[in-house]
C-alpha cells in the first residue's frame, strides 16, 4: 500500500466515529476538523496547493485574524529536503519563535502532484507555560494561514508577513454541538429561498438581497423543523453568510420585488419591513434543527407570504466572474409539533441613548432583561432556550449573556470572546436552558472604535451599533422584546454636567444625537459615560408581540443585582504533561 493510501486510510479510520467539518481557507485550500470532547482535542486536516516542492505552510489561530501574535503550526522543509512540523508563535514584529513546548501533535503529511495534505491534533487548552498558545473556546475561532517558498535553513526568526506569498484567515466555530438532529415527520418537504444566477460584483464585500414570495401551500400554518445552506458548487469560498428575514407586513400586503445590493439606492423603502430573522447560516455552520417537541411557525392566514434573502459575498480577489445561486433550504411540515418555537430579543434597545465614544479599544455596554419583566411575562413552568444568535454591527468584538436567578449567577447562556459581526450564525446550545419567571438575563457587548473620530450612535444603520441576543426557545410566549436603555433623565443629567462643569456644548435644546456629537471626547469623559451606563436606572422594553409593553411602569427601573457571580472557569492542567 502506497504512502498516500496509508495516510488516507488513517484519516478515514480517525473520522469514522466523528463528524467532519470543513471550511475553505481560500479558493484552493481547505481546513477540516473533528472534535473530541472526551480528550478535549481537535484533529485537523489541511489541503493546500504545493506548486513548489520546498514550500512552507502555516496554519493556526489568532484573536481576530491577525498574523502578528498568532499561534501557528508550521510545515517546512530544510535545505537537505527533510520535512519538519513545529509549534510556533508570531511576535509583534512578525517574526516566528519556535515554542519550547510543542503542542502540534500527531503530524502526518503526504504530497502528490501539486497538493500537500497534512494532519495534526491540538488540545483545546495546551496549558503552554509561555502562554503563547491560543485557547480554543466555544465561540468564534479565527483560523489564520500563510504559504511561502523555501527551502529554509531554520524556522526561528522567519518574518511571516514579509515572506508569505499568500496569507489570510477564516472564521469558524470549532467546538461544535455534536448532538444529533431530531427526525423529520414523513410529510416533511423542503423549499429553497435562493438567489438566481447573481453576477457577483467585483467588490471585496457585497451584501445581496432578494425578496421572495413563499409558496401557496403555506396559506395554512406549518412548522419549519430544520434549515441549511444550499451553496452553488465551487462557490464555497465566496458565500460567507446568509440570512432569511420575514417581512413583517399585514398578511395581504404585497412587498415590492427587489434583487440587488442590500444598501442600494434602488431598494424600495417598503422592503425595510423584512427584518425578522427566520434563518441564519455562516460558513462552516451545520444545519439548524428544532427540538422534536417544537417547530418554527410559518404560514397561515395572518402570515405575510414574503421573505427576503440576504447573502454576504466575500470576494477578496475581486473576481468579476462569480455567478451564484446560493441560499437557504427550509424543511417544512404540515404536521404541527407540540409547541411553536419563538424568538425573543435580548440586549439593548435600538436607540441613540446608548452610544459609544470614539478611540475606544474596549467599551462595554450591557442590556438587561430584568426580573420584573420575566415575572409578568414568563409562565410558571418557564420556557426552554435551545439556540442563540449574537448580534452587533461593525465595532462589536465580544458578546455574552449572563443568567441570574434570585441574585445568583447561573451558567452563561452564550459567549463569544472573539465575536465578529461578519460571522453571525444561530448556534444550537449544548444544553437547553430553562428561563423561569423572575429570572434576569444580562447581555453584554464590547466595542472597539479606535478607527472612529466621533461618537458611534446606537440605532439601525450599519454605521450605528446594536447589542442583541436573539434567543430561540419554546413554547412560544407573548414576550418578544426584553431590552433596556439608560433612563432619559439620567442621560440628560450627564449632558447637563458636561456643560456646566466641563464647558461642553451640550444642552437641553439639543437632541440626544446632537448632544453626543457636541462632546469633545477624552478618555475620562468616555470612562464616566461607561460608569453611568452601568450604574443608573433603566428604561425597559418589556414588549408583547403587538409592540405594546406589558402592563406596568417601565421607566427608571433598577439594574438587576448580581449578588453571587459565577466564579471563573478553572483551567485543569494537571493531566497535561
Amino acid at each position: 500500500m502506497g504512502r498516500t493510501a496509508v495516510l488516507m486510510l488513517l484519516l478515514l479510520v480517525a473520522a469514522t466515529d466523528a463528524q467532519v467539518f470543513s471550511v475553505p481557507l481560500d479558493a484552493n485550500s481547505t481546513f477540516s476538523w473533528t472534535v473530541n470532547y472526551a480528550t478535549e482535542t481537535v484533529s485537523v486536516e489541511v489541503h493546500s496547493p504545493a506548486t513548489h516542492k520546498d514550500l512552507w505552510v502555516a496554519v493556526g489561530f489568532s484573536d481576530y485574524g491577525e498574523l502578528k501574535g498568532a499561534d501557528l503550526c508550521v510545515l517546512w522543509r530544510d535545505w537537505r529536503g527533510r520535512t519538519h512540523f513545529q509549534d510556533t508563535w508570531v511576535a509583534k514584529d512578525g517574526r516566528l519563535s519556535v515554542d519550547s513546548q510543542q503542542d502540534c501533535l500527531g503530524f502526518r503529511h503526504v504530497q502528490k502532484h501539486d497538493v500537500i495534505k497534512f494532519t495534526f491534533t491540538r488540545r483545546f487548552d495546551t496549558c503552554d507555560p509561555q502562554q503563547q498558545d491560543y485557547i480554543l473556546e466555544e465561540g468564534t475561532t479565527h483560523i489564520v494561514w500563510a504559504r511561502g517558498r523555501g527551502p529554509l535553513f531554520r524556522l526561528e526568526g522567519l518574518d511571516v508577513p514579509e515572506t508569505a506569498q499568500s496569507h489570510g484567515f477564516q472564521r469558524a466555530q470549532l467546538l461544535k454541538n455534536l448532538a444529533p438532529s431530531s427526525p423529520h415527520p414523513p410529510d416533511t418537504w423542503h423549499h429553497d429561498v435562493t438567489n438566481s444566477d447573481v453576477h457577483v460584483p467585483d467588490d471585496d464585500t457585497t451584501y445581496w438581497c432578494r425578496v421572495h414570495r413563499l409558496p401557496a401551500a403555506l396559506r395554512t400554518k406549518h412548522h419549519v423543523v430544520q434549515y441549511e445552506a444550499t451553496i452553488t458548487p465551487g462557490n464555497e469560498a465566496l458565500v460567507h453568510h446568509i440570512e432569511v428575514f420575514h417581512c413583517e407586513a399585514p398578511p395581504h400586503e404585497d412587498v415590492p420585488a427587489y434583487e440587488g445590493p442590500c444598501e442600494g439606492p434602488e431598494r424600495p423603502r417598503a422592503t425595510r419591513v423584512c427584518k425578522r430573522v427566520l434563518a441564519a447560516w455562516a460558513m462552516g455552520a451545520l444545519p439548524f434543527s428544532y427540538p422534536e417537541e417544537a417547530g418554527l411557525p410559518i404560514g397561515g392566514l395572518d402570515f405575510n407570504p414574503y421573505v427576503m434573502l440576504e447573502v454576504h459575498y466575500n470576494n477578496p480577489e475581486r473576481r468579476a466572474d462569480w455567478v451564484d445561486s446560493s441560499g437557504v433550504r427550509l424543511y417544512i411540515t404540515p404536521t404541527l409539533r407540540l409547541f411553536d418555537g419563538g424568538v425573543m430579543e435580548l440586549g439593548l434597545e435600538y436607540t441613540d441613548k446608548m452610544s459609544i465614544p470614539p478611540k475606544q479599544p474596549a467599551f462595554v455596554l450591557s442590556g438587561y432583561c430584568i426580573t420584573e419583566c420575566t415575572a409578568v411575562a414568563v409562565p410558571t413552568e418557564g420556557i426552554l432556550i435551545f439556540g442563540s444568535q449574537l448580534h452587533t454591527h461593525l465595532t462589536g468584538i465580544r458578546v455574552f449573556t449572563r443568567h441570574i436567578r434570585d441574585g445568583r449567577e447561573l451558567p452563561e447562556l452564550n459567549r463569544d470572546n472573539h465575536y465578529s459581526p461578519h460571522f453571525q450564525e444561530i448556534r444550537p446550545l449544548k444544553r437547553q436552558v430553562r428561563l423561569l419567571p423572575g429570572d434576569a438575563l444580562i447581555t453584554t457587548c464590547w466595542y472597539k472604535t479606535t478607527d472612529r473620530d466621533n461618537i458611534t450612535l446606537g440605532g439601525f444603520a450599519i454605521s450605528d451599533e446594536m447589542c442583541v441576543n436573539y434567543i430561540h426557545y419554546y413554547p412560544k410566549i407573548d414576550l418578544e422584546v426584553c431590552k433596556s436603555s439608560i433612563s432619559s433623565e439620567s442621560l440628560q443629567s450627564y449632558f447637563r454636567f458636561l456643560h456646566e462643569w466641563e464647558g461642553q456644548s451640550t444642552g437641553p435644546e439639543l437632541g440626544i444625537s446632537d448632544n453626543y456629537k457636541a462632546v469633545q471626547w477624552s478618555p475620562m469623559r468616555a470612562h464616566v459615560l461607561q460608569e453611568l451606563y452601568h450604574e443608573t436606572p433603566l428604561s425597559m422594553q418589556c414588549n408583547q408581540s403587538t409592540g405594546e409593553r406589558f402592563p406596568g411602569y417601565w421607566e427608571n427601573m433598577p439594574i438587576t443585582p448580581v449578588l453571587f457571580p459565577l466564579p471563573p472557569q478553572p483551567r485543569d492542567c494537571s493531566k497535561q504533561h
Side-chain angles (χ1 to χ4, degrees):
M1 184 179 291
R3 186 180 181 186
T4 302
V6 170
L7 178 60
M8 293 303 105
L9 180 60
L10 288 171
L11 297 182
L12 179 62
V13 170
T16 299
D17 297 322
Q19 289 179 269
V20 179
F21 312 104
S22 185
V23 293
L25 297 179
D26 62 9
N28 303 303
S29 306
T30 59
F31 179 101
S32 303
W33 75 99
T34 63
V35 185
N36 188 322
Y37 285 103
T39 61
E40 296 188 344
T41 57
V42 170
S43 297
V44 173
E45 179 175 334
V46 176
H47 294 190
S48 176
T51 53
H52 189 273
K53 69 174 183 178
D54 290 321
L55 88 165
W56 57 265
V57 181
V59 175
F61 317 102
S62 73
D63 285 348
Y64 293 98
E66 313 91 340
L67 268 178
K68 294 180 179 179
D71 172 18
L72 297 177
C73 300
V74 186
L75 178 153
W76 63 284
R77 291 195 176 98
D78 65 23
W79 59 281
R80 297 180 185 272
R82 294 175 299 194
T83 300
H84 306 266
F85 194 68
Q86 291 181 284
D87 181 6
T88 70
W89 54 277
V90 187
K92 296 302 181 184
D93 64 0
R95 296 191 179 277
L96 278 181
S97 292
V98 176
D99 205 323
S100 60
Q101 175 177 298
Q102 290 292 298
D103 291 299
C104 304
L105 306 174
F107 171 62
R108 299 286 189 275
H109 82 286
V110 64
Q111 184 168 343
K112 188 174 182 181
H113 304 305
D114 57 353
V115 175
I116 190 165
K117 303 178 182 181
F118 61 93
T119 66
F120 63 93
T121 298
R122 171 71 151 67
R123 291 188 62 86
F124 298 171
D125 183 354
T126 67
C127 294
D128 178 34
Q130 288 184 287
Q131 298 185 348
Q132 299 296 344
D133 282 354
Y134 184 93
I135 299 175
L136 302 179
E137 298 176 327
E138 294 284 339
T140 301
T141 299
H142 289 71
I143 305 164
V144 292
W145 61 271
R147 288 192 295 266
R149 290 188 60 174
L152 304 173
F153 68 92
R154 69 172 185 174
L155 199 56
E156 185 81 27
L158 180 71
D159 191 324
V160 177
E162 286 295 320
T163 58
Q165 292 181 312
S166 57
H167 63 86
F169 69 92
Q170 188 56 273
R171 302 178 182 94
Q173 185 195 27
L174 293 186
L175 305 189
K176 299 280 190 187
N177 186 340
L178 305 182
S181 301
S182 58
H184 296 173
D187 56 2
T188 300
W189 51 282
H190 72 260
H191 178 70
D192 292 347
V193 181
T194 63
N195 279 325
S196 179
D197 294 333
V198 172
H199 291 264
V200 179
D202 58 357
D203 295 325
D204 178 80
T205 299
T206 298
Y207 285 83
W208 193 268
C209 284
R210 185 187 189 197
V211 173
H212 177 97
R213 185 182 175 98
L214 294 171
L218 294 180
R219 288 173 182 156
T220 59
K221 179 181 175 180
H222 287 59
H223 272 161
V224 175
V225 295
Q226 179 179 304
Y227 60 80
E228 63 190 19
T230 169
I231 306 298
T232 299
N235 290 5
E236 290 81 6
L238 171 71
V239 181
H240 191 272
H241 74 259
I242 306 172
E243 294 194 83
V244 178
F245 299 93
H246 181 228
C247 302
E248 296 293 294
H252 299 294
E253 183 174 308
D254 287 332
V255 176
Y258 177 71
E259 184 173 6
C262 295
E263 298 301 321
E266 300 86 7
R267 179 179 166 184
R269 186 171 183 82
T271 64
R272 301 294 173 182
V273 300
C274 307
K275 59 185 180 180
R276 183 192 294 270
V277 177
L278 286 182
W281 172 89
M283 189 178 285
L286 297 172
F288 185 84
S289 296
Y290 281 77
E292 60 182 340
E293 304 90 356
L296 178 69
I298 188 170
L301 295 178
D302 58 350
F303 189 89
N304 187 280
Y306 289 92
V307 298
M308 187 178 74
L309 177 73
E310 178 185 286
V311 181
H312 172 197
Y313 294 116
N314 184 41
N315 185 14
E317 298 173 351
R318 297 180 178 271
R319 285 172 47 182
D321 59 345
W322 290 109
V323 179
D324 186 70
S325 298
S326 299
V328 167
R329 173 166 292 172
L330 304 173
Y331 291 87
I332 303 170
T333 175
T335 303
L336 299 182
R337 291 182 165 180
L338 185 60
F339 300 112
D340 283 348
V343 180
M344 187 188 305
E345 293 184 24
L346 310 175
L348 288 176
E349 181 184 349
Y350 304 137
T351 174
D352 55 1
K353 289 196 292 181
M354 307 301 296
S355 296
I356 307 157
K359 307 302 180 186
Q360 300 299 303
F363 193 86
V364 183
L365 296 178
S366 291
Y368 295 82
C369 179
I370 60 175
T371 293
E372 291 83 350
C373 182
T374 64
V376 298
V378 175
T380 303
E381 64 276 12
I383 59 174
L384 285 167
I385 303 168
F386 63 89
S388 166
Q389 182 190 17
L390 305 174
H391 175 76
T392 75
H393 283 174
L394 300 179
T395 68
I397 58 172
R398 177 178 295 180
V399 188
F400 53 92
T401 296
R402 303 165 72 190
H403 183 190
I404 314 301
R405 180 174 294 159
D406 297 327
R408 183 177 299 276
E409 184 174 4
L410 304 179
E412 291 177 339
L413 193 65
N414 195 3
R415 172 181 283 266
D416 196 332
N417 282 334
H418 301 106
Y419 171 86
S420 169
H422 303 294
F423 186 70
Q424 301 189 32
E425 58 182 352
I426 301 174
R427 290 176 178 161
L429 302 184
K430 292 177 180 174
R431 59 178 181 88
Q432 292 190 356
V433 177
R434 187 175 294 276
L435 182 74
L436 295 176
D439 287 1
L441 296 168
I442 305 172
T443 299
T444 298
C445 296
W446 292 35
Y447 303 94
K448 182 179 179 182
T449 59
T450 51
D451 61 347
R452 298 203 173 185
D453 295 324
N454 208 335
I455 193 80
T456 297
L457 299 171
F460 289 94
I462 192 64
S463 58
D464 296 337
E465 263 308 344
M466 294 182 172
C467 178
V468 186
N469 185 354
Y470 298 99
I471 56 171
H472 294 248
Y473 71 94
Y474 70 94
K476 189 177 187 301
I477 60 175
D478 204 24
L479 178 60
E480 190 161 299
V481 176
C482 192
K483 300 159 76 173
S484 71
S485 64
I486 187 174
S487 72
S488 299
E489 182 180 318
S490 298
L491 190 57
Q492 290 303 324
S493 296
Y494 174 72
F495 290 141
R496 186 166 57 250
F497 165 81
L498 289 178
H499 178 70
E500 295 177 357
W501 290 89
E502 302 206 6
Q504 298 298 295
S505 301
T506 53
E509 71 282 358
L510 298 178
I512 292 172
S513 296
D514 289 334
N515 266 318
Y516 274 125
K517 292 174 182 178
V519 178
Q520 299 296 312
W521 289 103
S522 65
M524 180 57 70
R525 291 183 187 121
H527 175 74
V528 171
L529 178 63
Q530 183 163 277
E531 292 300 310
L532 181 78
Y533 284 148
H534 291 308
E535 294 177 1
T536 55
L538 304 173
S539 172
M540 276 301 304
Q541 287 188 328
C542 183
N543 292 6
Q544 305 171 64
S545 55
T546 61
E548 298 178 351
R549 295 186 186 187
F550 278 83
Y553 182 71
W554 297 105
E555 299 300 320
N556 294 312
M557 300 298 294
I559 289 178
T560 299
V562 184
L563 305 178
F564 303 99
L566 198 66
Q569 184 71 27
R571 296 174 67 187
D572 182 8
C573 297
S574 59
K575 302 176 183 178
Q576 294 276 17
H577 310 294

